Amino acid sequence: MSIDGVVGRDLLAAAPGVAASTGSACRSGVFTPSPVLTAMGMDSARALGALRLSLGRWSTPRDVATAARLLTAAVIGDAVPAAGGR
């Protein structure tokens, strides 16, 4: 998922109850656009805003709803700085 004007790592910092990643597992800790997303035609700003949310065997609809609520609250509540504000 990606939200215009939001940097993925800032969104995760503003929603600490969500376990997600801003890139692939092999690129952990790297703050550059995902080569996979850019190869798919996504521009750099949008790729930096992307979050990788995964579901597992034991994930429930309630888990999905909670993650959606926390991420939405972080964006709507202005807890995430605008990407252009750097």
Side-chain angles (χ1 to χ4, degrees):
M1 70 164 273
S2 183
I3 299 170
D4 282 334
V6 175
V7 176
R9 70 179 184 180
D10 293 340
L11 179 54
L12 283 182
V18 177
S21 177
T22 58
S24 63
C26 61
R27 295 183 54 81
S28 179
V30 177
F31 187 63
T32 57
S34 163
V36 172
L37 296 178
T38 54
M40 292 170 50
M42 190 176 287
D43 66 72
S44 294
R46 186 69 155 191
L48 284 174
L51 292 183
R52 180 172 45 89
L53 301 166
S54 301
L55 298 174
R57 181 178 192 165
W58 307 113
S59 298
T60 66
R62 185 176 187 184
D63 295 331
V64 174
T66 298
R69 181 179 48 79
L70 291 171
L71 293 169
T72 301
V75 174
I76 292 175
D78 289 331
V80 182
R86 298 191 179 287

